[in-house]
Amino acid sequence: MGAERQPYLTAQDADASQTLLEQVNQAIQSGLPLRIQGTNSKAFLGREVAGEVLDTRIHRGIVSYDPTELVITARAGTPLSELSAALDQAGQMLPCEPPSYSDAGVGDATVGGMVAAGLSGPRRPWAGSVRDYVLGTRVITGLGKHLKFGGEVMKNVAGYDLSRLMAGSFGCLGLLTEVSLKVLPKPRLCTSIALEMDGTRALARLAEWGQQPLPISAASHDGRVLRLRLEGGEGSVAAAHDRLGGESIDPAWWQALNEHRLDFFTDGRALWRLSLPTNTGVLALPGEQLIDWAGAQRWLKSDASGDEIRALVSAVGGHATCYSHGMDQSPFQPLATPLMRYHRQLKAQLDPHGIFNPGRRYAEI
């Protein structure tokens, strides 16, 4: 039996759920759309939304945290840095490594924005996505109701799938007000190494190592150097390092990659995120590439058109998302007709008046 959970609320935290609910109901009555945002740290992702700003930062605070049960519950406007600090103090973490895209604390992401965007960091292929760690949510629906879905333990499955639908929805399905997340202990040892090799060899080695019990938790290649992060028990990490060789590097490199602070991300060309099937080989694409997620995710800086990039990526079973605001009319990969039909039906059920972030992902919804 876990210890009794203690509140982590501070003087600056507040429950503003009633204020948010009133704003949503006013929008329903007036028929005017809402543009949901926290710090707007993901503004570069998606299409422009016209509407009255609904700022979630007034509703913030860690409601409860039980390290023994590996569960933390926070209000949507809580800064992600605040949640991470509480976990770090207990030796725990969000394994999916959601990026904040903040600059020295400026524009720090919120917990609600983290879930709504559904973005994960370098550990994603080995630890899972943001969606995999969402246990439950509180959501203000497009019918003007404040409802609770899911719970705070994995075995409580009532409403569980609807909570997971919020991950990656970009606020189009409802207003998140509270999230319960599964967390895990930090690994006992973390070592990062670099090995010089070309892209073809790097992808071949990663495919080979993926079939072996190696404690790899991040893998990236920049065209010349393969960087690996090894995490786990001291013995397994040391043995893997001895076997793989390589020069030790600063582990801060992974945060720079995750937050797009590397030089690769700083030029004026459009940035594309390519999601590819596992073990896809080297792709001949116009521009410069950076391999992440052991090859399953690749970053592309290119002046080529979206149609050209998507055609090349779709040919190998992948899809592409434009991370540069205004550089492509359809930032997200266009959906096939059956999938778009399901998206429309879901939007109609959860947001029948179309007030939540209309058009953020697709013009039709």
mmCIF file of all heavy atoms in Angstrom, residues 35 37 40-50 101 170 260 265 267-273 299-302 310 321-332 358-361:
data_model
loop_
_atom_site.group_PDB
_atom_site.id
_atom_site.type_symbol
_atom_site.label_atom_id
_atom_site.label_comp_id
_atom_site.label_asym_id
_atom_site.label_seq_id
_atom_site.Cartn_x
_atom_site.Cartn_y
_atom_site.Cartn_z
ATOM 1 N N ARG A 35 -8.992 29.718 -29.202
ATOM 2 C CA ARG A 35 -7.615 29.314 -29.509
ATOM 3 C C ARG A 35 -6.943 28.963 -28.193
ATOM 4 O O ARG A 35 -6.543 29.819 -27.422
ATOM 5 C CB ARG A 35 -6.870 30.438 -30.228
ATOM 6 C CG ARG A 35 -5.425 30.121 -30.540
ATOM 7 C CD ARG A 35 -4.931 30.978 -31.703
ATOM 8 N NE ARG A 35 -5.050 32.397 -31.429
ATOM 9 C CZ ARG A 35 -4.080 33.156 -30.909
ATOM 10 N NH1 ARG A 35 -2.926 32.606 -30.557
ATOM 11 N NH2 ARG A 35 -4.258 34.457 -30.729
ATOM 12 N N GLN A 37 -4.203 27.836 -25.617
ATOM 13 C CA GLN A 37 -2.750 27.893 -25.529
ATOM 14 C C GLN A 37 -2.299 28.047 -24.083
ATOM 15 O O GLN A 37 -3.042 28.527 -23.229
ATOM 16 C CB GLN A 37 -2.195 29.056 -26.356
ATOM 17 C CG GLN A 37 -2.563 30.434 -25.834
ATOM 18 C CD GLN A 37 -1.988 31.550 -26.676
ATOM 19 O OE1 GLN A 37 -2.151 31.563 -27.895
ATOM 20 N NE2 GLN A 37 -1.303 32.486 -26.034
ATOM 21 N N ASN A 40 2.301 28.926 -25.573
ATOM 22 C CA ASN A 40 2.361 28.992 -27.034
ATOM 23 C C ASN A 40 3.704 28.502 -27.564
ATOM 24 O O ASN A 40 4.160 28.931 -28.633
ATOM 25 C CB ASN A 40 2.101 30.421 -27.524
ATOM 26 C CG ASN A 40 1.252 30.458 -28.781
ATOM 27 O OD1 ASN A 40 0.556 29.497 -29.100
ATOM 28 N ND2 ASN A 40 1.298 31.556 -29.504
ATOM 29 N N SER A 41 4.339 27.582 -26.848
ATOM 30 C CA SER A 41 5.662 27.094 -27.247
ATOM 31 C C SER A 41 5.614 26.209 -28.486
ATOM 32 O O SER A 41 6.638 25.965 -29.120
ATOM 33 C CB SER A 41 6.312 26.316 -26.090
ATOM 34 O OG SER A 41 5.538 25.183 -25.740
ATOM 35 N N LYS A 42 4.426 25.711 -28.849
ATOM 36 C CA LYS A 42 4.288 24.868 -30.049
ATOM 37 C C LYS A 42 3.567 25.619 -31.176
ATOM 38 O O LYS A 42 2.997 24.999 -32.073
ATOM 39 C CB LYS A 42 3.494 23.591 -29.721
ATOM 40 C CG LYS A 42 3.935 22.839 -28.475
ATOM 41 C CD LYS A 42 5.319 22.286 -28.585
ATOM 42 C CE LYS A 42 5.621 21.344 -27.424
ATOM 43 N NZ LYS A 42 5.408 21.911 -26.075
ATOM 44 N N ALA A 43 3.591 26.959 -31.125
ATOM 45 C CA ALA A 43 2.874 27.753 -32.120
ATOM 46 C C ALA A 43 3.337 27.481 -33.541
ATOM 47 O O ALA A 43 2.582 27.670 -34.492
ATOM 48 C CB ALA A 43 3.021 29.242 -31.803
ATOM 49 N N PHE A 44 4.573 27.031 -33.687
ATOM 50 C CA PHE A 44 5.116 26.770 -35.027
ATOM 51 C C PHE A 44 4.533 25.514 -35.657
ATOM 52 O O PHE A 44 4.734 25.258 -36.846
ATOM 53 C CB PHE A 44 6.639 26.635 -34.954
ATOM 54 C CG PHE A 44 7.104 25.538 -34.039
ATOM 55 C CD1 PHE A 44 7.250 24.239 -34.510
ATOM 56 C CD2 PHE A 44 7.383 25.794 -32.706
ATOM 57 C CE1 PHE A 44 7.664 23.219 -33.672
ATOM 58 C CE2 PHE A 44 7.810 24.777 -31.861
ATOM 59 C CZ PHE A 44 7.951 23.488 -32.345
ATOM 60 N N LEU A 45 3.831 24.708 -34.881
ATOM 61 C CA LEU A 45 3.284 23.450 -35.372
ATOM 62 C C LEU A 45 1.805 23.601 -35.698
ATOM 63 O O LEU A 45 1.010 23.970 -34.839
ATOM 64 C CB LEU A 45 3.458 22.352 -34.316
ATOM 65 C CG LEU A 45 4.628 21.402 -34.485
ATOM 66 C CD1 LEU A 45 4.677 20.420 -33.330
ATOM 67 C CD2 LEU A 45 4.565 20.659 -35.799
ATOM 68 N N GLY A 46 1.439 23.310 -36.917
ATOM 69 C CA GLY A 46 0.040 23.346 -37.295
ATOM 70 C C GLY A 46 -0.352 24.614 -38.030
ATOM 71 O O GLY A 46 0.457 25.505 -38.288
ATOM 72 N N ARG A 47 -1.633 24.693 -38.350
ATOM 73 C CA ARG A 47 -2.175 25.807 -39.106
ATOM 74 C C ARG A 47 -2.613 26.923 -38.161
ATOM 75 O O ARG A 47 -2.818 26.710 -36.974
ATOM 76 C CB ARG A 47 -3.351 25.324 -39.963
ATOM 77 C CG ARG A 47 -2.979 24.179 -40.905
ATOM 78 C CD ARG A 47 -4.182 23.579 -41.627
ATOM 79 N NE ARG A 47 -4.697 24.483 -42.630
ATOM 80 C CZ ARG A 47 -5.794 25.199 -42.500
ATOM 81 N NH1 ARG A 47 -6.520 25.103 -41.396
ATOM 82 N NH2 ARG A 47 -6.202 25.995 -43.467
ATOM 83 N N GLU A 48 -2.746 28.110 -38.708
ATOM 84 C CA GLU A 48 -3.178 29.265 -37.912
ATOM 85 C C GLU A 48 -4.613 29.059 -37.436
ATOM 86 O O GLU A 48 -5.460 28.581 -38.173
ATOM 87 C CB GLU A 48 -3.086 30.533 -38.754
ATOM 88 C CG GLU A 48 -3.172 31.815 -37.952
ATOM 89 C CD GLU A 48 -1.942 32.085 -37.115
ATOM 90 O OE1 GLU A 48 -0.818 31.802 -37.578
ATOM 91 O OE2 GLU A 48 -2.107 32.570 -35.981
ATOM 92 N N VAL A 49 -4.863 29.451 -36.184
ATOM 93 C CA VAL A 49 -6.209 29.344 -35.613
ATOM 94 C C VAL A 49 -6.721 30.745 -35.290
ATOM 95 O O VAL A 49 -6.052 31.511 -34.575
ATOM 96 C CB VAL A 49 -6.217 28.487 -34.333
ATOM 97 C CG1 VAL A 49 -7.597 28.498 -33.680
ATOM 98 C CG2 VAL A 49 -5.803 27.061 -34.646
ATOM 99 N N ALA A 50 -7.885 31.071 -35.800
ATOM 100 C CA ALA A 50 -8.519 32.358 -35.495
ATOM 101 C C ALA A 50 -9.536 32.130 -34.384
ATOM 102 O O ALA A 50 -10.397 31.259 -34.486
ATOM 103 C CB ALA A 50 -9.207 32.926 -36.731
ATOM 104 N N TYR A 101 10.778 23.041 -25.876
ATOM 105 C CA TYR A 101 11.091 24.103 -26.833
ATOM 106 C C TYR A 101 11.158 25.458 -26.144
ATOM 107 O O TYR A 101 10.697 26.472 -26.661
ATOM 108 C CB TYR A 101 10.080 24.131 -27.987
ATOM 109 C CG TYR A 101 10.104 22.869 -28.812
ATOM 110 C CD1 TYR A 101 8.961 22.114 -29.019
ATOM 111 C CD2 TYR A 101 11.302 22.408 -29.373
ATOM 112 C CE1 TYR A 101 8.998 20.944 -29.767
ATOM 113 C CE2 TYR A 101 11.341 21.236 -30.117
ATOM 114 C CZ TYR A 101 10.187 20.512 -30.304
ATOM 115 O OH TYR A 101 10.230 19.352 -31.029
ATOM 116 N N PHE A 170 -3.863 18.278 -30.311
ATOM 117 C CA PHE A 170 -3.612 19.709 -30.473
ATOM 118 C C PHE A 170 -4.817 20.560 -30.079
ATOM 119 O O PHE A 170 -5.113 21.581 -30.685
ATOM 120 C CB PHE A 170 -3.172 20.028 -31.909
ATOM 121 C CG PHE A 170 -1.724 19.706 -32.164
ATOM 122 C CD1 PHE A 170 -1.350 18.420 -32.534
ATOM 123 C CD2 PHE A 170 -0.743 20.656 -32.002
ATOM 124 C CE1 PHE A 170 -0.017 18.102 -32.741
ATOM 125 C CE2 PHE A 170 0.594 20.360 -32.215
ATOM 126 C CZ PHE A 170 0.957 19.085 -32.585
ATOM 127 N N HIS A 260 15.940 21.133 -30.018
ATOM 128 C CA HIS A 260 16.292 21.768 -31.300
ATOM 129 C C HIS A 260 17.256 22.935 -31.114
ATOM 130 O O HIS A 260 17.095 23.998 -31.713
ATOM 131 C CB HIS A 260 15.035 22.217 -32.031
ATOM 132 C CG HIS A 260 14.199 21.085 -32.543
ATOM 133 N ND1 HIS A 260 13.055 21.267 -33.297
ATOM 134 C CD2 HIS A 260 14.341 19.744 -32.423
ATOM 135 C CE1 HIS A 260 12.530 20.091 -33.600
ATOM 136 N NE2 HIS A 260 13.305 19.152 -33.079
ATOM 137 N N PHE A 265 19.529 22.861 -36.553
ATOM 138 C CA PHE A 265 18.172 23.405 -36.566
ATOM 139 C C PHE A 265 18.114 24.916 -36.766
ATOM 140 O O PHE A 265 17.027 25.492 -36.790
ATOM 141 C CB PHE A 265 17.461 23.060 -35.243
ATOM 142 C CG PHE A 265 17.287 21.589 -35.009
ATOM 143 C CD1 PHE A 265 18.128 20.905 -34.148
ATOM 144 C CD2 PHE A 265 16.293 20.882 -35.652
ATOM 145 C CE1 PHE A 265 17.982 19.545 -33.928
ATOM 146 C CE2 PHE A 265 16.132 19.519 -35.449
ATOM 147 C CZ PHE A 265 16.975 18.847 -34.578
ATOM 148 N N ASP A 267 19.422 27.076 -39.305
ATOM 149 C CA ASP A 267 19.443 27.831 -40.570
ATOM 150 C C ASP A 267 18.023 28.153 -41.039
ATOM 151 O O ASP A 267 17.035 27.788 -40.419
ATOM 152 C CB ASP A 267 20.249 27.094 -41.648
ATOM 153 C CG ASP A 267 19.573 25.827 -42.137
ATOM 154 O OD1 ASP A 267 18.336 25.759 -42.117
ATOM 155 O OD2 ASP A 267 20.284 24.895 -42.546
ATOM 156 N N GLY A 268 17.908 28.878 -42.162
ATOM 157 C CA GLY A 268 16.617 29.401 -42.584
ATOM 158 C C GLY A 268 15.749 28.463 -43.399
ATOM 159 O O GLY A 268 14.624 28.808 -43.747
ATOM 160 N N ARG A 269 16.262 27.268 -43.707
ATOM 161 C CA ARG A 269 15.450 26.334 -44.494
ATOM 162 C C ARG A 269 14.328 25.725 -43.647
ATOM 163 O O ARG A 269 14.422 25.662 -42.432
ATOM 164 C CB ARG A 269 16.341 25.225 -45.061
ATOM 165 C CG ARG A 269 17.324 25.679 -46.132
ATOM 166 C CD ARG A 269 18.281 24.566 -46.501
ATOM 167 N NE ARG A 269 19.138 24.187 -45.379
ATOM 168 C CZ ARG A 269 19.972 23.154 -45.394
ATOM 169 N NH1 ARG A 269 20.044 22.380 -46.467
ATOM 170 N NH2 ARG A 269 20.720 22.892 -44.344
ATOM 171 N N ALA A 270 13.295 25.276 -44.335
ATOM 172 C CA ALA A 270 12.175 24.648 -43.630
ATOM 173 C C ALA A 270 12.638 23.368 -42.947
ATOM 174 O O ALA A 270 13.448 22.616 -43.476
ATOM 175 C CB ALA A 270 11.046 24.344 -44.607
ATOM 176 N N LEU A 271 12.100 23.131 -41.753
ATOM 177 C CA LEU A 271 12.413 21.922 -40.992
ATOM 178 C C LEU A 271 11.261 20.938 -41.117
ATOM 179 O O LEU A 271 10.102 21.285 -40.887
ATOM 180 C CB LEU A 271 12.646 22.265 -39.522
ATOM 181 C CG LEU A 271 12.860 21.076 -38.572
ATOM 182 C CD1 LEU A 271 14.171 20.354 -38.903
ATOM 183 C CD2 LEU A 271 12.861 21.538 -37.110
ATOM 184 N N TRP A 272 11.597 19.698 -41.477
ATOM 185 C CA TRP A 272 10.607 18.634 -41.607
ATOM 186 C C TRP A 272 10.947 17.492 -40.652
ATOM 187 O O TRP A 272 12.114 17.130 -40.496
ATOM 188 C CB TRP A 272 10.591 18.092 -43.039
ATOM 189 C CG TRP A 272 10.045 19.060 -44.032
ATOM 190 C CD1 TRP A 272 10.705 20.088 -44.644
ATOM 191 C CD2 TRP A 272 8.699 19.102 -44.533
ATOM 192 N NE1 TRP A 272 9.861 20.761 -45.487
ATOM 193 C CE2 TRP A 272 8.622 20.169 -45.447
ATOM 194 C CE3 TRP A 272 7.562 18.323 -44.305
ATOM 195 C CZ2 TRP A 272 7.455 20.495 -46.122
ATOM 196 C CZ3 TRP A 272 6.402 18.644 -44.983
ATOM 197 C CH2 TRP A 272 6.350 19.712 -45.874
ATOM 198 N N ARG A 273 9.900 16.942 -40.043
ATOM 199 C CA ARG A 273 10.051 15.722 -39.248
ATOM 200 C C ARG A 273 9.526 14.557 -40.082
ATOM 201 O O ARG A 273 8.371 14.555 -40.502
ATOM 202 C CB ARG A 273 9.248 15.814 -37.954
ATOM 203 C CG ARG A 273 9.227 14.514 -37.154
ATOM 204 C CD ARG A 273 8.241 14.599 -35.999
ATOM 205 N NE ARG A 273 8.174 13.359 -35.266
ATOM 206 C CZ ARG A 273 7.337 12.365 -35.524
ATOM 207 N NH1 ARG A 273 6.488 12.473 -36.520
ATOM 208 N NH2 ARG A 273 7.345 11.270 -34.786
ATOM 209 N N TRP A 299 15.149 14.224 -39.155
ATOM 210 C CA TRP A 299 14.924 15.648 -39.334
ATOM 211 C C TRP A 299 15.554 16.061 -40.655
ATOM 212 O O TRP A 299 16.678 15.680 -40.958
ATOM 213 C CB TRP A 299 15.526 16.427 -38.170
ATOM 214 C CG TRP A 299 14.914 16.071 -36.856
ATOM 215 C CD1 TRP A 299 15.437 15.255 -35.897
ATOM 216 C CD2 TRP A 299 13.645 16.489 -36.366
ATOM 217 N NE1 TRP A 299 14.584 15.137 -34.836
ATOM 218 C CE2 TRP A 299 13.473 15.888 -35.094
ATOM 219 C CE3 TRP A 299 12.639 17.313 -36.867
ATOM 220 C CZ2 TRP A 299 12.325 16.095 -34.332
ATOM 221 C CZ3 TRP A 299 11.504 17.523 -36.102
ATOM 222 C CH2 TRP A 299 11.359 16.918 -34.848
ATOM 223 N N LEU A 300 14.817 16.843 -41.426
ATOM 224 C CA LEU A 300 15.265 17.259 -42.745
ATOM 225 C C LEU A 300 15.175 18.769 -42.857
ATOM 226 O O LEU A 300 14.126 19.363 -42.602
ATOM 227 C CB LEU A 300 14.392 16.603 -43.824
ATOM 228 C CG LEU A 300 14.610 17.069 -45.270
ATOM 229 C CD1 LEU A 300 15.966 16.604 -45.789
ATOM 230 C CD2 LEU A 300 13.481 16.552 -46.173
ATOM 231 N N LYS A 301 16.285 19.415 -43.243
ATOM 232 C CA LYS A 301 16.282 20.841 -43.582
ATOM 233 C C LYS A 301 16.359 20.922 -45.101
ATOM 234 O O LYS A 301 17.314 20.448 -45.708
ATOM 235 C CB LYS A 301 17.478 21.558 -42.944
ATOM 236 C CG LYS A 301 17.475 21.574 -41.431
ATOM 237 C CD LYS A 301 16.219 22.203 -40.853
ATOM 238 C CE LYS A 301 16.093 23.686 -41.114
ATOM 239 N NZ LYS A 301 16.990 24.538 -40.353
ATOM 240 N N SER A 302 15.331 21.509 -45.716
ATOM 241 C CA SER A 302 15.268 21.469 -47.174
ATOM 242 C C SER A 302 14.453 22.631 -47.729
ATOM 243 O O SER A 302 13.521 23.133 -47.087
ATOM 244 C CB SER A 302 14.634 20.151 -47.623
ATOM 245 O OG SER A 302 14.503 20.094 -49.025
ATOM 246 N N ARG A 310 6.958 14.752 -49.367
ATOM 247 C CA ARG A 310 5.985 13.742 -48.950
ATOM 248 C C ARG A 310 5.913 12.578 -49.937
ATOM 249 O O ARG A 310 5.704 11.433 -49.537
ATOM 250 C CB ARG A 310 4.612 14.383 -48.766
ATOM 251 C CG ARG A 310 4.537 15.261 -47.515
ATOM 252 C CD ARG A 310 3.104 15.527 -47.095
ATOM 253 N NE ARG A 310 3.064 16.110 -45.763
ATOM 254 C CZ ARG A 310 2.838 17.393 -45.502
ATOM 255 N NH1 ARG A 310 2.615 18.229 -46.496
ATOM 256 N NH2 ARG A 310 2.817 17.841 -44.264
ATOM 257 N N THR A 321 5.971 15.862 -41.469
ATOM 258 C CA THR A 321 5.329 16.998 -40.822
ATOM 259 C C THR A 321 6.249 18.203 -40.925
ATOM 260 O O THR A 321 7.443 18.092 -40.619
ATOM 261 C CB THR A 321 5.048 16.705 -39.334
ATOM 262 O OG1 THR A 321 4.221 15.543 -39.223
ATOM 263 C CG2 THR A 321 4.360 17.884 -38.669
ATOM 264 N N CYS A 322 5.711 19.331 -41.338
ATOM 265 C CA CYS A 322 6.507 20.548 -41.447
ATOM 266 C C CYS A 322 6.547 21.254 -40.091
ATOM 267 O O CYS A 322 5.501 21.590 -39.525
ATOM 268 C CB CYS A 322 5.938 21.482 -42.506
ATOM 269 S SG CYS A 322 6.958 22.945 -42.798
ATOM 270 N N TYR A 323 7.752 21.500 -39.567
ATOM 271 C CA TYR A 323 7.951 22.137 -38.272
ATOM 272 C C TYR A 323 8.245 23.628 -38.399
ATOM 273 O O TYR A 323 8.597 24.270 -37.412
ATOM 274 C CB TYR A 323 9.087 21.453 -37.522
ATOM 275 C CG TYR A 323 8.637 20.363 -36.576
ATOM 276 C CD1 TYR A 323 7.876 19.290 -37.022
ATOM 277 C CD2 TYR A 323 8.966 20.396 -35.227
ATOM 278 C CE1 TYR A 323 7.470 18.283 -36.168
ATOM 279 C CE2 TYR A 323 8.564 19.403 -34.359
ATOM 280 C CZ TYR A 323 7.814 18.349 -34.837
ATOM 281 O OH TYR A 323 7.406 17.360 -33.970
ATOM 282 N N SER A 324 8.127 24.174 -39.587
ATOM 283 C CA SER A 324 8.376 25.602 -39.798
ATOM 284 C C SER A 324 7.067 26.287 -40.144
ATOM 285 O O SER A 324 6.479 26.028 -41.200
ATOM 286 C CB SER A 324 9.401 25.809 -40.909
ATOM 287 O OG SER A 324 10.651 25.256 -40.536
ATOM 288 N N HIS A 325 6.597 27.138 -39.250
ATOM 289 C CA HIS A 325 5.273 27.739 -39.402
ATOM 290 C C HIS A 325 5.193 28.549 -40.685
ATOM 291 O O HIS A 325 6.059 29.365 -40.999
ATOM 292 C CB HIS A 325 4.965 28.639 -38.212
ATOM 293 C CG HIS A 325 3.561 29.150 -38.191
ATOM 294 N ND1 HIS A 325 2.469 28.345 -37.961
ATOM 295 C CD2 HIS A 325 3.059 30.386 -38.400
ATOM 296 C CE1 HIS A 325 1.373 29.054 -38.009
ATOM 297 N NE2 HIS A 325 1.698 30.299 -38.276
ATOM 298 N N GLY A 326 4.122 28.318 -41.441
ATOM 299 C CA GLY A 326 3.870 29.074 -42.646
ATOM 300 C C GLY A 326 4.643 28.628 -43.872
ATOM 301 O O GLY A 326 4.472 29.186 -44.954
ATOM 302 N N MET A 327 5.501 27.599 -43.716
ATOM 303 C CA MET A 327 6.317 27.143 -44.836
ATOM 304 C C MET A 327 5.587 26.114 -45.699
ATOM 305 O O MET A 327 6.035 25.789 -46.789
ATOM 306 C CB MET A 327 7.636 26.553 -44.333
ATOM 307 C CG MET A 327 8.491 27.526 -43.552
ATOM 308 S SD MET A 327 9.224 28.807 -44.583
ATOM 309 C CE MET A 327 10.650 27.958 -45.230
ATOM 310 N N ASP A 328 4.465 25.569 -45.212
ATOM 311 C CA ASP A 328 3.696 24.596 -45.976
ATOM 312 C C ASP A 328 2.225 24.763 -45.622
ATOM 313 O O ASP A 328 1.875 24.907 -44.448
ATOM 314 C CB ASP A 328 4.163 23.169 -45.666
ATOM 315 C CG ASP A 328 3.595 22.150 -46.646
ATOM 316 O OD1 ASP A 328 4.108 22.059 -47.767
ATOM 317 O OD2 ASP A 328 2.634 21.449 -46.280
ATOM 318 N N GLN A 329 1.343 24.737 -46.617
ATOM 319 C CA GLN A 329 -0.081 24.971 -46.377
ATOM 320 C C GLN A 329 -0.729 23.849 -45.572
ATOM 321 O O GLN A 329 -1.738 24.061 -44.901
ATOM 322 C CB GLN A 329 -0.809 25.142 -47.714
ATOM 323 C CG GLN A 329 -0.444 26.426 -48.448
ATOM 324 C CD GLN A 329 -1.266 26.621 -49.709
ATOM 325 O OE1 GLN A 329 -1.900 25.692 -50.205
ATOM 326 N NE2 GLN A 329 -1.261 27.832 -50.227
ATOM 327 N N SER A 330 -0.164 22.640 -45.646
ATOM 328 C CA SER A 330 -0.675 21.504 -44.879
ATOM 329 C C SER A 330 0.458 20.945 -44.033
ATOM 330 O O SER A 330 1.125 19.991 -44.444
ATOM 331 C CB SER A 330 -1.232 20.425 -45.820
ATOM 332 O OG SER A 330 -2.279 20.938 -46.619
ATOM 333 N N PRO A 331 0.720 21.539 -42.861
ATOM 334 C CA PRO A 331 1.878 21.120 -42.050
ATOM 335 C C PRO A 331 1.865 19.643 -41.690
ATOM 336 O O PRO A 331 2.908 18.996 -41.673
ATOM 337 C CB PRO A 331 1.767 22.000 -40.804
ATOM 338 C CG PRO A 331 0.925 23.160 -41.222
ATOM 339 C CD PRO A 331 -0.032 22.623 -42.235
ATOM 340 N N PHE A 332 0.671 19.106 -41.399
ATOM 341 C CA PHE A 332 0.564 17.691 -41.052
ATOM 342 C C PHE A 332 0.283 16.866 -42.305
ATOM 343 O O PHE A 332 -0.346 17.337 -43.250
ATOM 344 C CB PHE A 332 -0.542 17.464 -40.022
ATOM 345 C CG PHE A 332 -0.256 18.117 -38.695
ATOM 346 C CD1 PHE A 332 -0.865 19.310 -38.350
ATOM 347 C CD2 PHE A 332 0.624 17.541 -37.800
ATOM 348 C CE1 PHE A 332 -0.598 19.924 -37.136
ATOM 349 C CE2 PHE A 332 0.900 18.139 -36.582
ATOM 350 C CZ PHE A 332 0.289 19.341 -36.247
ATOM 351 N N PRO A 358 -10.265 25.257 -34.133
ATOM 352 C CA PRO A 358 -10.697 24.785 -35.459
ATOM 353 C C PRO A 358 -9.619 25.002 -36.517
ATOM 354 O O PRO A 358 -9.045 26.081 -36.625
ATOM 355 C CB PRO A 358 -11.936 25.645 -35.743
ATOM 356 C CG PRO A 358 -11.771 26.861 -34.890
ATOM 357 C CD PRO A 358 -11.093 26.379 -33.649
ATOM 358 N N GLY A 359 -9.353 23.949 -37.280
ATOM 359 C CA GLY A 359 -8.387 24.033 -38.363
ATOM 360 C C GLY A 359 -6.939 23.928 -37.950
ATOM 361 O O GLY A 359 -6.040 24.040 -38.803
ATOM 362 N N ARG A 360 -6.642 23.705 -36.685
ATOM 363 C CA ARG A 360 -5.248 23.649 -36.240
ATOM 364 C C ARG A 360 -4.490 22.517 -36.933
ATOM 365 O O ARG A 360 -3.366 22.671 -37.370
ATOM 366 C CB ARG A 360 -5.182 23.463 -34.715
ATOM 367 C CG ARG A 360 -3.766 23.284 -34.127
ATOM 368 C CD ARG A 360 -2.943 24.553 -34.230
ATOM 369 N NE ARG A 360 -1.563 24.361 -33.790
ATOM 370 C CZ ARG A 360 -1.124 24.539 -32.553
ATOM 371 N NH1 ARG A 360 -1.963 24.908 -31.590
ATOM 372 N NH2 ARG A 360 0.161 24.379 -32.254
ATOM 373 N N ARG A 361 -5.130 21.364 -37.041
ATOM 374 C CA ARG A 361 -4.472 20.235 -37.694
ATOM 375 C C ARG A 361 -4.831 20.162 -39.178
ATOM 376 O O ARG A 361 -3.969 20.005 -40.018
ATOM 377 C CB ARG A 361 -4.837 18.920 -37.000
ATOM 378 C CG ARG A 361 -4.338 18.814 -35.565
ATOM 379 C CD ARG A 361 -4.206 17.364 -35.127
ATOM 380 N NE ARG A 361 -3.207 16.666 -35.933
ATOM 381 C CZ ARG A 361 -2.962 15.361 -35.816
ATOM 382 N NH1 ARG A 361 -3.656 14.631 -34.976
ATOM 383 N NH2 ARG A 361 -2.039 14.803 -36.565
#
